[in-house]
Amino acid sequence: MAEEAVDITEGLQKHVIIIHCPECDSYLQPPRTWLKAQLESKELLTFCVKRLKNLNKVRLVNAEFIWTEPHSKRIKVKLKVQKEVLNGAVLEQSYVVEYVQQEHMCESCSRVQANPDQWVAAVQLRQHVSHRHGARYRLLLSSRSHGVKFVEFIGKVAPVRSRHDKQLVSHDSKSNNYNYKYTFSVEISPICREDLICLPPKVALSLGNIGPLVICTKVTNSIALLDPFTLRHCFLDSDQYWRSSFKSLLTSRQLVEYIVLDVEIHVSSEVNVGGSKYTLADAQVARVSDFGKNDTIFTITTHLGHILSPGDYALGYDLYRANSNDIELDKYKGLNLPDAILIKKSYEEKRQRKRGKPRSWKLKSLDMEIDDRDREYQPSEIASMTDGEEVPSVPIEELLADLDLSEDEDGDSNMKD
């Protein structure tokens, strides 16, 4: 049989219907479990893989989102699988599964719709960040005091601004009793940990001329900022932030993987910020994606000198090829941007080495058939695997941790929650 005629994905599901609650943004995990998950989150990716039947016929190697569009009610996931065929040869093939969302309210949301008078206070949470598709949550509470306490709690763990309104529901003229419904709108700062920020000139001046390029190292009710070139650091409280309400220059979804070629520590350059230690160093790095293509090497200053050694891998922002239209950046005339800013050390290479011995067989692959919509898709150079924090793809072990692919007598695969 010719290799071109072998399709190891034959019999695998390519189209799956999933049930989605539009009110609380959760998905039905049969028979009755509802899972809350944001678009392109690792929770949603795990859920999508678990919904596939007959996956035990092949070995799942990788899974990632390639296209999501909320208004179309469709999610596309690219899967890479392997299977042993004739004469012990192992083929690898990629294919796309399209998930179609059917809208259906969960039990709790249905009860609220059936009896809207049972709640008194509603808290709406919003965070306008592009890499999370704008997180939105709505919480219904039985009293105004519960709503106030919840808003106060959110204000202790994140920089927020809020407002509240009330609406008259009923009025008893005999007893002079008024019934209101209260709505609290809470907006969370879009600044996230590991974001690269260009501070507005007025903010940088108020913070002692720090930056202007800084890294967000922690977010609580204040934002911890670190200058990776001088190790100067500061904290921006909620009021200070909302007076200027700037956005990030680059976010963790845009991190690129680098290999460290050489490191030279600066003398007496160690600081502790919020329990974390940083040390300045000069480092020579190269993009992993450049290997075999060019010999481009960057000499940069990094705050990770205490944990980086030659041969290590790190994730950082590629400013050498970045095409930024940031308004705040344009305000600094003559500002020289570094070629790269490293954010954290990557341990993925060590994980790969620990997963097993080198393959004793030669891996072959088949081309994936794609439709017209997918022809413009190009694999991203952004690193998909880091040290396990806020990444768009999920380690395959985590995807399969709770997945039972054994077949029952009818040939259908069983899944355990």
Side-chain angles (χ1 to χ4, degrees):
M1 181 182 294
E3 290 185 0
E4 291 76 12
V6 177
D7 182 5
I8 63 175
T9 69
E10 184 177 359
L12 302 181
Q13 285 182 291
K14 309 294 175 59
H15 299 275
V16 181
I17 295 176
I18 55 178
I19 307 300
H20 174 253
C21 176
E23 292 296 319
C24 62
D25 207 19
S26 59
Y27 295 84
L28 177 61
Q29 180 101 16
R32 299 185 61 181
T33 303
W34 289 85
L35 171 71
K36 288 185 179 292
Q38 295 294 314
L39 284 177
E40 296 197 358
S41 65
K42 67 178 183 180
E43 293 82 9
L44 182 56
L45 185 58
T46 303
F47 167 80
C48 289
V49 172
K50 287 183 178 181
R51 298 296 298 132
L52 296 176
K53 297 181 180 181
N54 301 327
L55 204 56
N56 61 324
K57 294 182 179 180
V58 295
R59 178 174 178 265
L60 181 61
V61 178
N62 188 44
E64 61 181 350
F65 292 109
I66 62 170
W67 183 72
T68 55
E69 217 299 302
H71 300 294
S72 70
K73 308 300 180 185
R74 279 169 169 75
I75 300 171
K76 288 190 177 183
V77 175
K78 179 184 177 184
L79 302 175
K80 183 182 292 184
V81 296
Q82 294 176 356
K83 185 177 182 180
E84 184 174 334
V85 290
L86 298 176
N87 301 322
V90 176
L91 295 183
E92 182 177 286
Q93 187 174 349
S94 297
Y95 71 104
V96 173
V97 179
E98 182 180 74
Y99 295 83
V100 180
Q101 288 185 187
Q102 289 187 355
E103 303 299 320
H104 182 78
M105 282 193 294
C106 64
E107 290 83 354
S108 58
C109 293
S110 297
R111 288 195 296 268
V112 171
Q113 289 290 333
N115 185 13
D117 293 332
Q118 69 178 351
W119 63 272
V120 175
V123 181
Q124 297 176 338
L125 292 177
R126 292 183 176 86
Q127 187 181 30
H128 301 291
V129 285
S130 58
H131 57 290
R132 291 181 182 172
H133 294 275
R136 296 185 180 185
Y137 300 93
R138 187 168 185 257
L139 180 66
L140 303 180
L141 302 166
S142 59
S143 68
R144 178 182 180 276
S145 61
H146 290 168
V148 172
K149 289 180 180 179
F150 183 73
V151 173
E152 291 177 348
F153 167 75
I154 296 297
K156 293 178 181 179
V157 297
V160 302
R161 61 180 175 183
S162 62
R163 63 181 180 84
H164 66 275
D165 300 294
K166 66 179 181 178
Q167 179 182 6
L168 180 64
V169 176
S170 62
H171 171 220
D172 188 344
S173 58
K174 294 182 180 180
S175 61
N176 203 30
N177 288 332
Y178 294 83
N179 293 322
Y180 292 96
K181 282 192 173 181
Y182 301 88
T183 301
F184 299 86
S185 298
V186 182
E187 183 178 356
I188 302 175
S189 163
I191 304 298
C192 298
R193 189 172 64 87
E194 299 176 352
D195 283 2
L196 179 64
I197 301 163
C198 180
L199 293 173
K202 290 184 178 180
V203 176
L205 182 62
S206 68
L207 298 174
N209 278 326
I210 190 174
L213 291 179
V214 294
I215 298 170
C216 174
T217 58
K218 190 176 182 179
V219 177
T220 55
N221 58 346
S222 62
I223 301 172
L225 301 176
L226 173 71
D227 186 331
F229 312 110
T230 65
L231 298 187
R232 294 183 61 195
H233 56 278
C234 64
F235 294 88
L236 197 66
D237 63 34
S238 183
D239 291 337
Q240 288 176 303
Y241 172 76
W242 289 112
R243 279 198 294 267
S244 54
S245 62
F246 52 84
K247 296 182 179 180
S248 299
L249 179 64
L250 295 170
T251 68
S252 57
R253 286 291 299 274
Q254 297 162 287
L255 288 171
V256 173
E257 192 171 27
Y258 291 85
I259 185 170
V260 180
L261 305 176
D262 191 21
V263 178
E264 184 176 344
I265 303 295
H266 290 195
V267 179
S268 302
S269 62
E270 183 178 304
V271 300
N272 284 279
V273 182
S276 298
K277 183 174 72 173
Y278 301 104
T279 303
L280 277 182
D282 292 329
Q284 286 188 337
V285 299
R287 289 183 297 250
V288 172
S289 61
D290 285 343
F291 278 12
K293 299 178 181 179
N294 57 60
D295 55 357
T296 303
I297 296 176
F298 305 106
T299 300
I300 61 172
T301 299
T302 179
H303 62 294
L304 303 178
H306 59 298
I307 58 173
L308 292 182
S309 301
D312 286 344
Y313 287 76
L315 296 176
Y317 293 115
D318 183 1
L319 300 183
Y320 179 77
R321 293 189 295 187
N323 184 16
S324 176
N325 296 319
D326 187 74
I327 298 177
E328 303 304 335
L329 196 60
D330 294 338
K331 295 179 181 178
Y332 292 94
K333 303 298 182 182
L335 177 65
N336 293 321
L337 295 178
D339 293 322
I341 297 180
L342 300 184
I343 299 299
K344 59 184 176 181
K345 184 176 179 178
S346 173
Y347 298 91
E348 180 58 26
E349 184 67 18
K350 292 183 179 179
R351 288 198 192 103
Q352 295 285 0
R353 290 198 295 264
K354 289 180 180 179
R355 283 175 182 168
K357 298 179 181 178
R359 296 177 178 137
S360 58
W361 35 262
K362 183 177 181 181
L363 183 64
K364 300 179 181 180
S365 62
L366 295 176
D367 294 333
M368 179 181 67
E369 294 184 2
I370 55 178
D371 56 29
D372 292 337
R373 182 185 292 272
D374 294 326
R375 292 186 185 279
E376 296 180 358
Y377 169 75
Q378 295 292 333
S380 172
E381 292 186 356
I382 296 174
S384 61
M385 302 294 291
T386 67
D387 55 357
E389 301 171 341
E390 300 180 4
V391 293
S393 63
V394 186
I396 200 67
E397 292 84 354
E398 183 176 340
L399 285 174
L400 300 179
D402 300 322
L403 183 62
D404 182 5
L405 294 176
S406 60
E407 293 189 346
D408 57 24
E409 295 179 356
D410 297 328
D412 293 329
S413 58
N414 299 316
M415 299 181 185
K416 297 180 180 180
D417 294 335

